Amino acid sequence: MKKTTSPAQSGSIQATPSSSDKRDLPADLASDLNAIDPGRRRALLAGLGAAGGAAAAGLMAPGRAMADPANLPPNVAEWSQVLGPGVDAFPYGMPSKYEKTVIRRYVEWLTATPESSINFTPLYALDGIVTPNGLCFERHHGGAAEVVPQDYRLMINGMVDRPLVFTLDDLKRFPPESRFHFLECAANGGMEWRGAQLNGVQFTHGMVHCVQYTGVSLRRLLEEAGVKPKAKWLMVEGGDSAGMNRTLPLDKALDDCMIAYSMNGERLRTEQGYPARLVVPGFEGNMWVKWIRRIEVGDGAYMAREETSKYTDLMPDGRARRFTWEMDAKSVITSPCPELPCKQKGPQVIKGLAWSGRGKIARVDVTVDGGRNWHQARLEEPIMSKCLTRFYLDGWEWNGDPAYLQSRAIDETGYVQPEMAALQAVRGVNSIYHNNAIQTWRINPTGEVENVRLA
Amino acid sequence: MKKTTSPAQSGSIQATPSSSDKRDLPADLASDLNAIDPGRRRALLAGLGAAGGAAAAGLMAPGRAMADPANLPPNVAEWSQVLGPGVDAFPYGMPSKYEKTVIRRYVEWLTATPESSINFTPLYALDGIVTPNGLCFERHHGGAAEVVPQDYRLMINGMVDRPLVFTLDDLKRFPPESRFHFLECAANGGMEWRGAQLNGVQFTHGMVHCVQYTGVSLRRLLEEAGVKPKAKWLMVEGGDSAGMNRTLPLDKALDDCMIAYSMNGERLRTEQGYPARLVVPGFEGNMWVKWIRRIEVGDGAYMAREETSKYTDLMPDGRARRFTWEMDAKSVITSPCPELPCKQKGPQVIKGLAWSGRGKIARVDVTVDGGRNWHQARLEEPIMSKCLTRFYLDGWEWNGDPAYLQSRAIDETGYVQPEMAALQAVRGVNSIYHNNAIQTWRINPTGEVENVRLA
């Protein structure tokens, strides 16, 4: 690659680099940036003086460091008069500083330590169906394992013809596949079982995210190892310090699971299982083992801690529902919501998300009067299986009276998202997991939105 | 929201916060994190001593700060023995430190200043069809304008019944829509016109990215203003210091354009036009005006600088092709490529991207012998209009001999991506823009991959 020095670069006049130039850059990338580029601010107009002296020259200031707001023409936005950061400023980009409240949040009292806890996706602030990787909720049992990719190994052992160990490079040599899927924690909405608890859709429903995964079919890997005829179950185990493990039925493993190494185009994030995780489309999140290091093939369920003492549903008669893997159809209105009150009367954008672990969303209904009248929502393409679907109700005009907003998802199997009363009639009130009940937002005359439970 | 203090938090024993805990956090978010969470590392096992003294206690170290690699059991990965970062560590997540070379890169000699330059998406490192926002290439004419969202305005004036000015909140009150689209700079591949120049798919083809945009239909806004019957063109103008502007035909504006405020779920990034940009599906990138502040409706093309002296194609006879908006079908193999050599003989994953400004990709063919034999590639769903499509050629075994890899896209209109010789037979060699020729990668016996031009 040939390289020449431009006149502007060789000139002796340089604007003083502003300390804010790299303010959004993590240390790692900042040092990398320094390696590939001096990152100097170049004075655009070589004949002008140093910082501060040239701002009076006119409408276009010669560089950020030279812009003095006091000298800018009135009635023209400052950003239209100064040079912004160049293409060398942010090798890996970050959100605008004006969006800094849009972050994953956690609830301090929920668990004893943040290493065995969860945080929540800010659903209220999101559009479409893709969750940006930086906002995908996290669930850890021993913190996010920081696996060195060169040292990563995945073992397949147990009832197989050929026990195998794969490196990351090995996994990447199989034919790849990519699919969009939601991932929902079984405990999403768990705090709502006995009444409205948390005033914000980030906290009531934020244990869900949706990205495009890329990886290798688990079926393909199991074929490589040769699963013995009597095998029926897999034990899947993570490399984190919790040694997080679960049982997975072989049928599901041979259906649509994958070992993923990418999400939304780039490599998995550390907290999402870098460099490789299990993807179990439509099934509860804790089966999607992160930092996956071992798959043992067997003929029975392993009854691991995370499928016995946890992730089961205690029923009213004292028995526990177990192996409740598939996430039932669910939906929620993400605007308006407690974080996004109605700012004025008149037309409102009602938007939300729907998903089902059993396939595609077929229909979503929305009510603004607590279920007396339902209106069919507009569903947005692409509608994909076991993936978030975005819906809208257009044309609702709020007259300032109290309103009760709900959404109800129906999936392609005909399953209808239930009301909480119907769900509790069967399951009782002991549950923590698998709350897919219809959610109600009450709009107060002030426009504020409350999380409420309708009788 | 009720808040209690857990025993672990009130305990007096705290691991010393490691300075590396927030190393990937930009300053803005770090201060925000401090506001919502003290960020302290909690000692998991309350009975153990302070940092350093407890590592010998056994397999699970009580906290990162206490882990001393010298005391860890052998043959067990360190990351399986220590607690990783908790859910409070990264409110907005960043890529793994092991992926720090995957960044946008620019070419210093290409332009006089980085504020009027371009950087490139690392296509070689990406999977699927979604480009993460932090890796979407940038093109600026006056740097990235840092618009204050509360002060943002969009004016529609000219040949309309009702000149209008919208705030950002106004735009968000219209029915939203989301669509996945690629955005390609007309100059993508421009340096390749007269011969292979740049050894890396990031540089030959990296002026393209693909995200899901959300916004309001431009047609809807124009209807609000009431376009007069004789209007035929729009002048669209950005709020950056370059006052970047372009002409857009009214027909296109009324077809599928939108004013977008979100990309991949979250708000637009600063460098992509925060808080609002024009989306012109399938058309060359410089029409997708960022920080859009004005749309003037008129009856003739405006002949702006960026559609006359630039973004036109000088033909062999001295005339210039102009208004060449639609991006013709194109494809490129992203692996193997100069950045991703073949590491060994045997099975190789051949993968790539295809796109067309005229609709969906219908087929992609791949050759490994410089075009003597073509093989139909596997296209991955979803295949969407004016969107990247991921393709694969499975099953190619490299025998170690030199190989010439090419891909050829065919879109739903039947258009076939041309060879460079065919393109130059019509366009000559003066062009900078609209190079959609077939790309060749030569695999050398060492496995290294070179950018070459076949006769």
Side-chain angles (χ1 to χ4, degrees):
Chain A
M1 211 183 298
K2 60 185 174 180
K3 203 160 180 171
T4 62
T5 305
S6 72
Q9 290 169 306
S10 61
S12 60
I13 296 166
Q14 299 280 339
T16 308
S18 157
S19 65
S20 71
D21 285 351
K22 299 201 180 80
R23 72 185 182 291
D24 284 337
L25 263 191
D28 280 357
L29 294 184
S31 68
D32 194 87
L33 169 66
N34 287 332
I36 61 167
D37 170 55
R40 294 165 297 140
R41 292 271 158 215
R42 295 166 188 83
L44 240 200
L45 306 178
L48 292 173
L59 208 142
M60 181 178 286
R64 287 182 58 73
M66 300 187 194
D68 178 353
N71 292 325
L72 297 177
N75 299 323
V76 177
E78 184 185 343
W79 59 78
S80 299
Q81 304 184 58
V82 299
L83 287 177
V87 299
D88 57 340
F90 303 106
Y92 194 95
M94 288 291 289
S96 159
K97 62 185 175 187
Y98 299 108
E99 300 296 324
K100 68 178 177 180
T101 62
V102 180
I103 51 176
R104 305 185 283 215
R105 292 178 186 274
Y106 79 109
V107 178
E108 209 166 313
W109 51 261
L110 196 60
T111 59
T113 73
E115 291 85 1
S116 62
S117 193
I118 196 152
N119 59 21
F120 299 84
T121 300
L123 295 180
Y124 71 93
L126 299 184
D127 281 302
I129 60 169
V130 174
T131 314
N133 289 342
L135 293 176
C136 288
F137 82 91
E138 302 171 70
R139 169 73 172 112
H140 305 316
H141 298 255
E146 295 181 314
V147 177
V148 180
Q150 291 80 359
D151 297 337
Y152 172 83
R153 298 291 183 277
L154 171 64
M155 173 188 284
I156 299 182
N157 69 336
M159 296 175 67
V160 294
D161 299 329
R162 289 170 299 278
L164 293 171
V165 175
F166 299 94
T167 67
L168 192 58
D169 275 348
D170 291 339
L171 295 179
K172 290 181 183 170
R173 293 186 74 197
F174 286 93
E177 54 184 59
S178 306
R179 271 181 276 128
F180 288 88
H181 289 301
F182 77 84
L183 188 175
E184 185 182 18
C185 179
N188 199 18
M191 288 174 282
E192 303 293 302
W193 264 111
R194 286 168 229 181
Q197 303 272 331
L198 295 167
N199 214 29
V201 70
Q202 179 162 11
F203 299 106
T204 60
H205 289 75
M207 295 185 199
V208 66
H209 58 66
C210 183
V211 304
Q212 186 183 33
Y213 293 97
T214 302
V216 49
S217 155
L218 179 53
R219 181 188 189 101
R220 184 74 188 75
L221 297 182
L222 291 170
E223 285 170 353
E224 200 76 11
V227 174
K228 290 192 184 293
K230 291 194 173 165
K232 288 280 178 238
W233 297 83
L234 308 183
M235 189 278 295
V236 286
E237 180 184 87
D240 57 334
S241 60
M244 168 70 199
N245 69 351
R246 272 293 310 243
T247 281
L248 178 71
L250 182 62
D251 287 351
K252 179 67 176 176
L254 297 177
D255 177 14
D256 60 358
C257 293
M258 65 165 93
I259 303 293
Y261 42 77
S262 290
M263 59 193 293
N264 286 340
E266 65 188 353
R267 298 293 173 253
L268 292 181
R269 296 292 175 87
T270 304
E271 66 270 29
Q272 303 296 340
Y274 181 88
R277 84 174 306 166
L278 184 60
V279 168
V280 193
F283 278 30
E284 60 186 22
N286 91 321
M287 307 178 79
W288 298 46
V289 169
K290 297 187 284 193
W291 317 288
I292 186 165
R293 72 176 171 197
R294 198 162 68 90
I295 298 173
E296 186 175 306
V297 182
D299 57 2
Y302 281 71
M303 299 309 198
R305 174 180 181 274
E306 306 295 347
E307 64 199 65
T308 52
S309 79
K310 305 289 176 192
Y311 299 100
T312 54
D313 309 311
L314 186 59
M315 302 290 277
D317 64 1
R319 293 180 304 140
R321 292 206 317 158
R322 62 177 192 181
F323 303 149
T324 45
W325 303 306
E326 275 185 325
M327 300 306 286
D328 291 321
K330 191 166 173 179
S331 68
V332 68
I333 291 172
T334 59
S335 174
C337 68
E339 294 96 331
L340 295 176
C342 293
K343 291 187 179 171
Q344 61 275 302
K345 298 178 191 176
Q348 308 291 327
V349 169
I350 297 181
K351 59 186 183 185
L353 292 165
W355 60 97
S356 168
R358 295 201 167 83
K360 294 183 181 180
I361 289 295
R363 202 179 87 196
V364 176
D365 299 323
V366 171
T367 178
V368 294
D369 54 15
R372 278 195 291 276
N373 300 284
W374 291 92
H375 312 277
Q376 192 169 336
R378 166 168 65 97
L379 303 188
E380 192 159 77
E381 295 287 345
I383 299 171
M384 294 182 277
S385 183
K386 305 169 188 176
C387 178
L388 293 189
T389 295
R390 176 62 66 177
F391 69 84
Y392 306 96
L393 184 71
D394 302 316
W396 179 51
E397 303 240 350
W398 181 49
N399 63 8
D401 292 340
Y404 293 86
L405 272 58
Q406 300 175 326
S407 64
R408 179 174 69 187
I410 299 150
D411 72 18
E412 62 180 339
T413 73
Y415 178 96
V416 181
Q417 183 183 3
E419 293 182 1
M420 180 59 94
L423 201 59
Q424 291 188 333
V426 177
R427 301 240 198 106
V429 295
N430 295 322
S431 286
I432 297 169
Y433 305 107
H434 305 108
N435 170 18
N436 70 319
I438 288 171
Q439 175 70 37
T440 308
W441 302 129
R442 180 186 197 270
I443 302 183
N444 293 330
T446 58
E448 288 174 334
V449 179
E450 275 186 280
N451 176 11
V452 299
R453 172 75 56 87
L454 287 190
Chain B
M1 208 184 303
K2 60 185 175 180
K3 202 157 180 172
T4 63
T5 305
S6 73
Q9 291 170 305
S10 62
S12 61
I13 296 165
Q14 301 280 343
T16 309
S18 156
S19 65
S20 71
D21 286 352
K22 301 201 179 79
R23 69 182 185 292
D24 283 338
L25 264 190
D28 279 355
L29 292 183
S31 68
D32 195 86
L33 170 65
N34 287 331
I36 61 166
D37 168 55
R40 294 166 296 143
R41 290 271 160 217
R42 294 164 190 83
L44 238 202
L45 306 179
L48 294 173
L59 208 141
M60 180 178 288
R64 288 183 58 75
M66 300 188 194
D68 177 355
N71 292 326
L72 298 178
N75 298 325
V76 178
E78 184 186 344
W79 59 78
S80 299
Q81 305 184 59
V82 298
L83 287 177
V87 299
D88 57 340
F90 302 106
Y92 195 97
M94 287 292 290
S96 159
K97 62 186 173 188
Y98 300 109
E99 300 296 326
K100 68 179 178 180
T101 61
V102 180
I103 51 176
R104 303 184 285 215
R105 292 179 187 274
Y106 79 109
V107 178
E108 208 166 316
W109 50 261
L110 196 58
T111 60
T113 74
E115 291 86 0
S116 62
S117 192
I118 196 151
N119 59 22
F120 299 84
T121 300
L123 295 180
Y124 71 93
L126 299 185
D127 281 304
I129 60 169
V130 175
T131 314
N133 289 343
L135 293 176
C136 288
F137 82 91
E138 303 171 71
R139 169 74 173 108
H140 305 315
H141 298 255
E146 296 182 313
V147 177
V148 180
Q150 292 79 359
D151 297 336
Y152 172 82
R153 298 291 184 277
L154 171 63
M155 173 189 285
I156 299 183
N157 69 336
M159 296 175 68
V160 294
D161 298 330
R162 290 169 299 279
L164 292 171
V165 174
F166 299 93
T167 66
L168 193 58
D169 276 348
D170 291 339
L171 295 178
K172 290 180 183 168
R173 293 185 75 197
F174 286 94
E177 55 184 60
S178 305
R179 270 181 276 128
F180 288 87
H181 289 301
F182 77 83
L183 188 174
E184 185 181 19
C185 179
N188 199 17
M191 288 173 283
E192 304 293 302
W193 264 112
R194 285 168 231 182
Q197 302 273 331
L198 296 166
N199 213 30
V201 70
Q202 178 162 10
F203 299 105
T204 59
H205 288 74
M207 295 185 199
V208 66
H209 58 66
C210 183
V211 304
Q212 187 183 33
Y213 293 96
T214 302
V216 49
S217 155
L218 179 54
R219 180 187 189 101
R220 184 74 188 74
L221 297 182
L222 291 171
E223 285 170 353
E224 200 76 12
V227 173
K228 291 193 184 292
K230 291 195 175 166
K232 289 279 178 238
W233 296 83
L234 308 182
M235 188 278 298
V236 288
E237 177 185 270
D240 58 332
S241 61
M244 167 71 199
N245 69 351
R246 271 297 305 244
T247 281
L248 179 70
L250 183 62
D251 287 351
K252 179 66 176 177
L254 297 177
D255 178 13
D256 60 358
C257 294
M258 66 164 92
I259 303 292
Y261 41 76
S262 290
M263 58 192 294
N264 286 338
E266 66 188 353
R267 298 295 171 251
L268 292 181
R269 295 294 176 86
T270 302
E271 66 269 28
Q272 302 296 339
Y274 181 87
R277 85 175 303 164
L278 184 61
V279 167
V280 192
F283 277 30
E284 60 185 20
N286 91 322
M287 305 179 79
W288 300 47
V289 169
K290 298 188 282 193
W291 317 288
I292 186 166
R293 71 176 173 196
R294 197 162 69 91
I295 299 174
E296 185 175 308
V297 182
D299 56 3
Y302 282 72
M303 298 310 203
R305 174 179 180 275
E306 305 296 345
E307 63 199 65
T308 52
S309 78
K310 306 289 176 191
Y311 300 101
T312 54
D313 309 310
L314 185 60
M315 302 290 278
D317 64 0
R319 291 180 307 141
R321 292 205 319 158
R322 63 178 191 178
F323 303 149
T324 44
W325 305 305
E326 276 185 323
M327 300 305 287
D328 291 322
K330 190 166 173 179
S331 68
V332 68
I333 291 171
T334 59
S335 174
C337 67
E339 294 96 331
L340 296 176
C342 294
K343 290 185 179 173
Q344 61 275 299
K345 297 178 190 177
Q348 307 292 326
V349 169
I350 297 181
K351 60 185 181 184
L353 292 166
W355 60 97
S356 168
R358 295 202 167 83
K360 294 183 182 180
I361 289 295
R363 200 179 89 195
V364 177
D365 299 322
V366 172
T367 178
V368 294
D369 54 15
R372 278 196 289 276
N373 300 284
W374 290 92
H375 314 276
Q376 192 169 336
R378 165 167 66 97
L379 302 189
E380 192 159 75
E381 295 285 344
I383 300 170
M384 295 181 277
S385 183
K386 305 169 189 177
C387 179
L388 293 188
T389 295
R390 175 63 67 178
F391 69 83
Y392 307 97
L393 184 71
D394 303 317
W396 178 52
E397 304 239 350
W398 180 50
N399 64 8
D401 291 340
Y404 293 85
L405 273 57
Q406 299 175 327
S407 64
R408 177 175 69 187
I410 298 150
D411 72 17
E412 62 179 339
T413 72
Y415 177 97
V416 180
Q417 183 182 3
E419 294 181 0
M420 181 60 93
L423 202 57
Q424 290 187 335
V426 177
R427 301 239 199 108
V429 295
N430 295 321
S431 285
I432 299 168
Y433 305 107
H434 305 108
N435 170 18
N436 69 319
I438 289 171
Q439 174 70 37
T440 308
W441 302 130
R442 179 185 198 270
I443 302 183
N444 293 331
T446 58
E448 287 174 336
V449 180
E450 275 186 279
N451 177 12
V452 300
R453 171 75 55 87
L454 288 190

